[in-house]
């Protein structure tokens, strides 16, 4: 069995509301085991015998069928989540800034976003691997930060999602527990 983290994009914002209990039930009905939701922002840990690409396809189909929306997810193994968290050079807790990690199911799209972000004045970012990058936003000003505005463009909607580092640590711990448990 493989332990996976699945990051849903755009739920419980913008009119797509899913109760975490319903999400857990829908994924459990597809044969995923040990399903655990974390927070209400679309973070799920579970185990499966499928490979990551098959998990992505099955989860997106499940979400479309169960909740009726055009779903996009990023799927990472427990080991990749741990490696991404470990590679992040920015702090999880800082009073002046918040650390975010943008995840992508499309390396070329993340390459483009990373390159565009490098051109923004004052933007601090770091590539964490082919599917992830970290960036900083001022505390209290995340949505107004230039990189947040850039990454929220419709062009990136189907392939990227962003989480704060504290959430990624919780997801890392949940997937590790599944893997070791």
């Amino acid at each position: 069995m493989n332990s996976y983290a699945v990051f849903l994009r755009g739920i419980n914002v913008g009119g797509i509301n899913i109760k975490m209990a319903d999400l857990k039930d829908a994924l459990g009905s597809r044969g995923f085991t040990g399903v655990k939701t974390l927070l209400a922002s679309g973070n799920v840990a579970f185990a499966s015998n499928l490979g990551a690409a098959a998990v992505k396809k099955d989860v997106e189909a499940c979400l479309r069928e169960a909740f009726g929306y055009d779903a996009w997810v990023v799927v990472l193994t427990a080991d990749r989540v741990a490696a991404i968290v470990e590679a992040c050079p920015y702090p999880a807790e800082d009073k002046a800034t918040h650390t975010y990690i943008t995840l992508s199911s499309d390396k070329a799209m993340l390459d483009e976003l990373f390159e565009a972000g490098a051109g923004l004045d004052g933007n601090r970012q770091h590539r964490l691997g082919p599917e992830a990058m970290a960036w900083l936003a001022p505390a209290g000003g995340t949505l107004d930060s230039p990189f947040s505005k850039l990454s929220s463009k419709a062009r990136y909607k189907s392939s990227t999602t962003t989480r704060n580092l504290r959430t990624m640590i919780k997801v890392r711990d949940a997937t590790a527990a599944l893997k070791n448990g």
Side-chain angles (χ1 to χ4, degrees):
M1 276 277 185
N2 299 308
S3 178
Y4 290 105
V6 178
F7 301 92
L8 287 68
R9 185 181 197 307
I11 69 160
N12 297 336
V13 294
I16 301 169
N17 297 307
I18 299 174
K19 292 179 181 167
M20 293 301 99
D22 295 341
L23 176 59
K24 184 177 177 180
D25 290 345
L27 293 171
S29 74
R30 296 293 269 238
F32 299 118
T33 59
V35 178
K36 180 175 181 171
T37 61
L38 299 110
L39 309 172
S41 55
N43 309 293
V44 184
F46 59 68
S48 175
N49 286 321
L50 298 173
V55 166
K56 177 178 172 36
K57 183 178 179 180
D58 199 23
V59 169
E60 288 177 344
C62 174
L63 296 171
R64 288 178 180 121
E65 292 164 16
F67 303 107
Y69 80 101
D70 203 11
W72 297 289
V73 302
V74 175
V75 176
L76 300 173
T77 64
D79 290 340
R80 281 307 301 147
V81 174
I84 288 166
V85 168
E86 180 67 27
C88 185
Y90 306 129
E93 301 293 336
D94 183 297
K95 292 183 192 272
T97 60
H98 292 281
T99 300
Y100 290 94
I101 297 180
T102 296
L103 304 166
S104 182
S105 58
D106 181 338
K107 180 187 177 301
M109 197 60 67
L110 191 64
D111 290 345
E112 176 185 307
L113 184 59
F114 188 81
E115 185 174 321
L120 297 173
D121 284 339
N123 186 45
R124 290 181 54 201
Q125 62 183 32
H126 184 85
R127 193 65 180 258
L128 305 173
E131 71 285 83
M133 64 177 286
W135 53 281
L136 295 176
T142 300
L143 295 178
D144 293 327
S145 72
F147 189 83
S148 180
K149 289 179 180 181
L150 171 67
S151 66
S152 67
K153 290 185 176 187
R155 174 166 181 70
Y156 304 111
K157 183 178 180 180
S158 67
S159 63
T160 65
T161 191
T162 298
R163 300 295 188 273
N164 68 46
L165 181 56
R166 292 181 315 277
T167 297
M168 292 295 293
I169 290 168
K170 290 175 185 174
V171 172
R172 176 203 62 197
D173 295 347
T175 57
L178 279 171
K179 181 180 172 187
N180 299 325

